[in-house]
Structure formats: structure tokens, C-alpha cells
Amino acid sequence: MMRERLEALKAEAEQAIQGAKDLETLKQLRVKYLGKKGELTAVLRGMGELSAEERPVIGKLANDIRQTLERILDEKETALEKAAMEARLKEETIDVTLPGVPRPLGSIHPLTAVIQQVENIFIGMGFEVAEGPEVEKDWYNFEALNMPKDHPARDMQDSFYITREILLRTQTSPVQVRTLQAKEGKVPVRMICPGKVYRRDDDDATHSHQFTQIEGLVVDRGVSMSELKGTLLAFAKQMFGEDHEFRFRPSYFPFTEPSMEMDMSCMICGGEGCRICKETGWIEILGAGMVHPNVLEKSGYNAERYTGFAFGMGVERIAMIKYGIDDIRHFYTNDLRVLRQFQSV
Ligand code: PHE
């Protein structure tokens, strides 16, 4: 009786184990047949009723069956684990030969590119990069720059006023005064300052109510006009290349004396005269001059002891010349067909 029950249990268990499809089922079968409350244990509980001769025989059989079941459970477990691992590996395979997904790449805006180029050239000559506020006091934007309230030169820079004393700066030149004040009379001062400026102009191909300037300022003992010219020539040659001609031409700014403008031979016609240079053969690139004594004094510097030079250039203008852009509005309309051309700048 007992023997038949054990053999039947073994056969049933073996079949169930071989048929198990996953590790979870196998775990349940182990509990079902070999666990403390399992079927083999239940059968063995009836051993007490056996005779003394039968007991060791049945006991041995039961033990053999337990061992056999344990072995095939372990074997099945190993096989299922291996199959599960293989399935996972197959599922997670990465085909390293597949082409990558192209990611769209942005580009540096041409104005930013020009600012960085100009900064690098002047940093190479020992200048520091400064910044100043776009919402500025009338005093810094005009008054301290030798342009009192009734000065006619204010008309050249039609302004956006916020209050009577506060406006959107019309130029980066107020940063000259702010820099000198911050330096508290110390020398040498060598700074450049890029930034946005605002003027009440009607927008067209060459005018914008908001544009960008870069200011430069050097103050020290004995700074001379020849150093101004040498510095600007060194800059212009690095910026535009060696094969251009440059000239300095007298001009007027209230905050420099003497004042001048720097021209470059027209890159379109090479100096012959064309529509772009208005038949002059020359293109204006910046304004400059020796810092007016009144500006030094108003900024806390003794004009008897120190001299300096300053210059200012329009970033859009430089970028238009350098990259042959014919309309200032291209810088602000963010047409990707334009911007993509500056991917490698
Ligand atoms: N601020 C002047 C302008 O906007 C340019 C300039 C700067 C001229 C510094 C001389 C010195 O026109």
C-alpha cells in the first residue's frame, strides 16, 4: 500500500516538475511535494502503522524519492534560470552597428561670435571685460560724458527715457565712467565692455532701435594717441585680416578730444568705390579718441596726471562687414537659414 502511494507520488511529482514552465511554478512544486506540510511528509506520517520489517524498507524508498525529486527540481531550476537569462539577453541586445539618431546642433549667434572674437583679441592685449546696466542714469549716459542737458550732441542719440533722469543707455560709453569710479583713481585701466544699447530710430536695413556696442578704455600715465592707433590697428588686423588698408579720420565726440573715426578699405570693391561704400572706397568701423579731461575729472581721475583713450564700435556693423550680411534685421529675426550658416564660426 505505502509503496504504491510513494511510487505514484513520485511519478506525479516528476511529471509536474518536468512540465513546469517558470521558476515561480517550480518553487510552488517544491513546497507542494517536499515541504513540511508537503505530500511526501504526509505519506511518511503514516509510517507508524508499518511493521518493523517494512519500516526501514519504506523509509529508504521515501528517502530515495526525496533525493530524486530534489535533484530533478534543482536540475529544472538551473535549466529554467538559464532559459530566462538567455531570453533576457536576447531582448536587451543592442545592435552597435545601427546608425545613431542625429541630434540637432545649435550654433553661436553671429553677434555673440563677434563679441567673443573681439574680447579674445583685447584680452590678449591685457584688457579686462566689464559690464554695465542697460537702464542707465542720464548722468552716466550723458552728463559725465561731457554732454550737459542742453548739449546739441544729445540730438545725435535720440533716447528712450524712463523718467527725466533715467533712460535706456544710448551707448556703452557710460561704462567708461562706471569703470573709472570703481577703480577709484588706480591705474592702469584697460577694459572693454560689450552690451546692448537703445536709440529711437526707425528700423530699416541699417538701423535698429536696439543694437550692440563694444566700448574700450585705457587710462594710465602718459597714454598717447599713437598707442590708440597702434592698439586699434593691431585689433583690426586680427579681426579682418592683414590684407586691408585702414585709415584714421578726424571726427567729433563730446567725450574725446581729439576724436577720430577708423575706416577700412571697402571689402566689396577693394577701394575702387561701390554702392556699399557709397563710392568712397572706405567703410567706417569705429569711433575713438583721447578721453576728454572733463570725463576723467568727473570720474575721479586727476586729468593733469593721467591720460587715456577710448573707442566704441557697433557689433552689428562689424559682423555685417566681416560676414557680408546686408540687412541688420537678420540678426534679430532668428531665421534658421541665416543662423545655420554660423555653425562653424
Ligand atoms: N559712444 C560713441 C557712439 O556711440 C562711440 C565712441 C566711443 C566714440 C568711445 C569715441 C570713444 O557713437
Side-chain angles (χ1 to χ4, degrees):
M1 262 310 273
M2 196 84 168
R3 176 182 295 275
E4 281 81 59
R5 277 177 66 193
L6 282 169
E7 294 289 1
L9 186 64
K10 181 185 175 205
E12 184 201 311
E14 271 179 356
Q15 204 183 359
I17 291 165
Q18 295 306 350
K21 293 263 183 304
D22 55 69
L23 288 161
E24 186 50 37
T25 314
L26 202 67
K27 204 170 134 197
Q28 284 162 12
L29 289 174
R30 197 184 282 274
V31 174
K32 181 175 182 209
Y33 292 109
L34 301 180
K36 273 207 186 80
K37 292 178 185 157
E39 296 189 13
L40 191 62
T41 319
V43 174
L44 289 176
R45 234 175 245 137
M47 290 268 284
E49 289 149 34
L50 295 175
S51 64
E53 302 88 71
E54 266 183 317
R55 212 176 285 159
V57 182
I58 296 297
K60 181 170 186 308
L61 179 64
N63 251 332
D64 287 349
I65 289 175
R66 169 179 289 280
Q67 272 170 23
T68 308
L69 293 184
E70 259 166 12
R71 183 172 50 74
I72 59 174
L73 273 166
D74 290 349
E75 279 168 13
K76 188 69 184 179
E77 189 176 84
T78 313
L80 284 176
E81 271 169 357
K82 197 171 159 214
M85 174 63 93
E86 262 158 22
R88 221 181 112 192
L89 283 176
K90 200 163 170 190
E91 197 168 290
E92 293 177 3
T93 313
I94 296 167
D95 182 352
V96 294
T97 65
L98 273 178
V101 184
R103 301 276 168 204
L105 197 61
S107 53
I108 304 261
H109 192 278
L111 293 179
T112 309
V114 166
I115 289 173
Q116 287 173 352
Q117 289 163 19
V118 175
E119 280 181 1
N120 284 338
I121 293 170
F122 281 103
I123 286 170
M125 294 194 270
F127 285 62
E128 287 169 29
V129 179
E131 261 183 50
E134 287 169 36
V135 179
E136 185 55 286
K137 288 188 177 145
D138 181 281
W139 190 83
Y140 283 103
N141 195 83
F142 288 130
E143 203 110 355
L145 292 168
N146 210 24
M147 273 187 272
K149 285 254 156 51
D150 55 355
H151 199 286
R154 286 190 177 211
D155 293 347
M156 291 179 358
Q157 303 184 359
D158 238 346
S159 321
F160 290 110
Y161 274 90
I162 292 166
T163 69
R164 281 180 73 84
E165 297 301 329
I166 297 172
L167 74 162
L168 298 182
R169 67 179 174 192
T170 58
Q171 48 186 352
T172 44
S173 300
V175 185
Q176 290 185 33
V177 180
R178 287 184 173 276
T179 301
L180 291 175
Q181 282 185 340
K183 290 271 181 187
E184 296 178 322
K186 290 196 255 327
V187 288
V189 175
R190 292 190 202 100
M191 77 88 186
I192 56 159
C193 164
K196 294 191 182 82
V197 300
Y198 302 81
R199 287 185 197 177
R200 281 181 55 179
D201 272 327
D202 289 326
D203 293 354
D204 62 26
T206 52
H207 295 83
S208 170
H209 61 283
Q210 183 217 285
F211 60 105
T212 322
Q213 286 189 333
I214 298 177
E215 193 79 11
L217 173 70
V218 169
V219 173
D220 205 343
R221 271 180 189 272
V223 174
S224 67
M225 186 91 162
S226 62
E227 282 168 82
L228 169 58
K229 291 167 78 175
T231 305
L232 292 179
L233 270 177
F235 156 71
K237 284 182 177 171
Q238 285 183 69
M239 193 67 196
F240 298 105
E242 293 284 337
D243 41 313
H244 289 100
E245 282 196 57
F246 298 96
R247 74 172 184 188
F248 297 98
R249 164 169 60 73
S251 184
Y252 170 77
F253 301 103
F255 36 89
T256 47
E257 181 59 36
S259 302
M260 64 194 201
E261 278 171 285
M262 186 181 190
D263 294 341
M264 181 173 88
S265 54
C266 178
M267 63 289 158
I268 303 294
C269 61
E272 294 290 303
C274 67
R275 197 176 55 87
I276 300 296
C277 59
K278 298 192 184 103
E279 306 300 332
T280 64
W282 295 95
I283 301 273
E284 177 199 321
I285 56 173
L286 54 80
M290 301 306 292
V291 180
H292 197 290
N294 289 351
V295 176
L296 289 171
E297 294 287 347
K298 280 207 158 61
S299 309
Y301 278 70
N302 183 342
E304 299 281 321
R305 194 179 304 162
Y306 301 116
T307 53
F309 64 72
F311 54 88
M313 65 188 98
V315 177
E316 283 80 355
R317 195 180 177 81
I318 303 282
M320 287 167 88
I321 295 169
K322 185 154 176 172
Y323 300 120
I325 298 169
D326 62 2
D327 193 317
I328 196 169
R329 290 167 292 202
H330 282 315
F331 294 119
Y332 315 118
T333 45
N334 289 329
D335 186 332
L336 288 177
R337 291 169 305 177
V338 174
L339 297 180
R340 285 209 177 103
Q341 296 178 53
F342 293 90
Q343 213 117 36
S344 59
V345 173

